[in-house]
Amino acid sequence: MDRLDLAGGDQTGRWMLEHPFPYGSGVVADRYARLSRDLARLLQGSSASARRAFWDRYAELLASLPERDRRYLGFQVWQEGVARYVELRTAEVAARRYHPTAEFEALPDYESLGAVAARWRGAILEELAHPDLARRQRVSFHAFGADLALLLDQDAPDWKRRYLDDKFFLERYLVPGG
């Protein structure tokens, strides 16, 4: 994380919560909102060319940000967004492979893993379809990053092998060795 140069000497980690990203900027919020809604639609079915156009628009958003804010956004989608993706994919895989005991299913608050996974996926898509960067601030990037990772599953299926070595910028995974 040091190479991001975002901490400004903060050793507590508060910089991750308090970075002065331009959440309230109308221009940034509008661009983000359009991308967020586009991303939600893409994940419900899309062509390779539509996904490529999205990645190009995402690159434009990144290029429009001051360098520190671009690094912060990259960090948030890389760390928190991919964590949200892992939660979702784990629930989806578990729903297919794990069969709870009858006793567990008989619990009054039992909910199938399939239902949980579907609810989580729906919540992520809902958050993207109705973005509110000014209100949700950095938390907005968690659903966005999760869906970027889902998009990478389609466009660069080997991206996970690079995750821990090529940190902070999911868009780089589109290019081999990028």
Side-chain angles (χ1 to χ4, degrees), residues 93-170:
V93 169
R96 289 191 306 274
R97 296 185 181 169
Y98 174 75
H99 301 289
T101 64
E103 294 84 6
F104 189 75
E105 287 179 330
L107 292 171
D109 61 346
Y110 170 77
E111 187 175 7
S112 74
L113 287 169
V116 170
R119 187 176 70 247
W120 287 356
R121 186 177 279 263
I124 290 170
L125 289 172
E126 178 69 17
E127 198 172 316
L128 289 175
H130 300 95
D132 189 348
L133 189 60
R135 186 175 64 78
R136 290 188 192 121
Q137 298 194 351
R138 70 180 173 75
V139 176
S140 297
F141 303 144
H142 303 178
F144 192 83
D147 276 6
L148 286 179
L150 289 168
L151 207 58
L152 282 170
D153 282 346
Q154 297 175 54
D155 294 330
D158 67 335
W159 72 271
K160 292 177 216 87
R161 284 189 273 151
R162 297 173 58 191
Y163 180 76
L164 292 175
D165 295 324
D166 189 6
K167 298 176 182 171
F168 309 128
F169 305 102
L170 296 184

